[in-house]
Amino acid sequence: MAIYQDFSEIADCFDVLLVDAYGVFWDGGHFYSGSLETMENAVSKGRQVCVVSNATSLSADCIRSYEKKGMYAGRHYTEFITSGDVFREAVLAKTLGISGKNIYIWGTPRASLFAGGAYRIVPHADEADAFYISVPQLTTEEKNKFPELADQFYLSRLSPDDGPQLWDSLATEPFAASLVQMRKRGLPALCANPDYRAFEKPKNNSKPQPVVRQGIIAEMYRQLGGQVVEFGKPHANIYQYAFRKLGIEASARVAMIGDTFRTDIVGALNAGISAVWCVETGMSRYEAEQGVSLERQSGGRLANVYLIGSFGGSGG
């Protein structure tokens, strides 16, 4: 199983780069060494470089956020697409794939993706036709109900300075009971971020942690027998959106570069484009540290997958 040191060794195989964010060029707190230089080099050579992220934020918001960190449109990338963009398009087109229009927000209340659309946000699940899986976080009161998991919670950097504290969690147990209640109501779930976990930097500036995110909540709901409608990698909707926006068709000269086999790599293989897997950064590295081999992470689907240590030449 050959593993290239970094993307530069295979860069000339591709004309279009679809680049995941977390785990590829961003570790949750910093840019990986050499990653911005790799992107800038590709843009300077006339390649299309499109960031394709499973983020519920709209691309315009992500662009502004990364500008503050030192990554710029036109220099480091040519386009930016999020699963939030894809979800928002479905909201406006009324094609979410559910019956009814009343939506309950599960998790941290964020309803911006629904603004100006035909769907209506309701305050109680009993009034809803479906529920939207927002960011799975806990209030201090909710966190304190699980004292045995105290070391699994981190004060979120997304917690407002002038509002109630919000806690990210490494454990899924605190979210289980409310999902059971959603299932008893028979509500379908909407998910705009299929990622199981994301490396987020706690508010105390300690090392980024792989906290629970929307995708794992969606999977928990599936395991309960609930219906889940997802937008983003690995699903076709985000790849079709990207091809349309970039004006391209699927081919081997288009590469999806990611760190998570289940989303980035499986999505690329299903979309008919090349898959480049960063195996020493992000979620692949995290899973390896948990004792999960690359073979197990991939389910044995390594044929036709390019393996690189890291995108920019440094695993740190």
Side-chain angles (χ1 to χ4, degrees):
M1 183 168 55
I3 302 177
Y4 297 98
Q5 180 177 343
D6 57 56
F7 183 72
S8 67
E9 295 185 52
I10 56 173
D12 289 341
C13 296
F14 312 109
D15 301 316
V16 179
L17 311 184
L18 309 181
V19 186
D20 183 34
Y22 278 58
V24 176
F25 62 74
W26 181 251
D27 74 355
H30 303 89
F31 292 108
Y32 284 111
S33 175
S35 61
L36 291 186
E37 291 82 356
T38 298
M39 296 169 75
E40 185 173 2
N41 183 55
V43 172
S44 70
K45 291 182 177 180
R47 296 188 175 108
Q48 292 191 78
V49 178
C50 178
V51 179
V52 181
S53 172
N54 275 354
T56 56
S57 300
L58 295 177
S59 55
D61 296 324
C62 291
I63 288 169
R64 285 191 290 269
S65 176
Y66 279 113
E67 279 182 351
K68 295 177 182 178
K69 300 177 177 80
M71 189 179 84
Y72 303 101
R75 176 180 172 185
H76 298 109
Y77 62 93
T78 55
E79 295 285 352
F80 204 120
I81 291 170
T82 69
S83 52
D85 293 335
V86 183
F87 186 87
R88 174 68 174 165
E89 181 179 68
V91 167
L92 296 178
K94 297 182 285 188
T95 56
L96 285 180
I98 60 170
S99 299
K101 296 183 177 180
N102 294 331
I103 310 293
Y104 173 73
I105 305 293
W106 180 100
T108 301
R110 290 177 187 157
S112 59
L113 292 181
F114 295 93
Y119 298 94
R120 185 169 73 95
I121 303 303
V122 296
H124 305 291
D126 289 339
E127 305 170 30
D129 301 306
F131 71 101
Y132 170 73
I133 302 173
S134 188
V135 183
Q137 294 174 310
L138 302 168
T139 63
T140 299
E141 181 180 3
E142 291 168 336
K143 172 187 75 73
N144 289 342
K145 293 178 181 178
F146 299 89
E148 72 280 8
L149 298 174
D151 62 348
Q152 300 291 295
F153 304 128
Y154 295 87
L155 186 59
S156 174
R157 65 179 177 81
L158 303 176
S159 183
D161 292 330
D162 57 350
Q165 292 183 329
L166 297 174
W167 298 82
D168 284 320
S169 176
L170 296 177
T172 59
E173 290 90 334
F175 308 108
S178 61
L179 291 178
V180 170
Q181 293 305 310
M182 296 298 107
R183 182 69 186 104
K184 287 180 178 178
R185 293 182 174 92
L187 297 178
L190 298 167
C191 178
N193 177 3
D195 286 353
Y196 281 2
R197 294 180 181 271
F199 280 89
E200 297 285 2
K201 194 170 185 178
K203 200 164 188 177
N204 65 5
N205 284 321
S206 61
K207 181 180 177 182
Q209 301 293 329
V211 298
V212 169
R213 281 300 179 251
Q214 291 94 315
I216 203 166
I217 300 300
E219 181 59 26
M220 291 170 66
Y221 198 61
R222 281 193 204 91
Q223 294 299 319
L224 291 171
Q227 175 192 353
V228 179
V229 182
E230 284 188 310
F231 296 79
K233 298 171 293 182
H235 304 291
N237 47 45
I238 194 167
Y239 291 94
Q240 292 167 352
Y241 184 101
F243 296 163
R244 175 161 41 90
K245 185 167 184 178
L246 297 174
I248 62 173
E249 295 182 355
S251 81
R253 298 291 298 180
V254 179
M256 177 73 229
I257 304 155
D259 66 304
T260 307
F261 199 93
R262 183 186 65 86
T263 53
D264 304 316
I265 306 308
V266 169
L269 295 173
N270 291 345
I273 61 177
S274 292
V276 179
W277 188 18
C278 300
V279 298
E280 295 175 4
T281 57
M283 291 310 303
S284 56
R285 178 175 179 174
Y286 168 73
E287 291 197 33
E289 290 172 346
Q290 308 310 304
V292 183
S293 69
L294 297 181
E295 282 285 344
R296 282 182 58 200
Q297 290 183 49
S298 67
R301 292 185 66 183
L302 287 176
N304 302 316
V305 175
Y306 293 89
L307 276 61
I308 61 176
S310 62
F311 183 51
S314 171

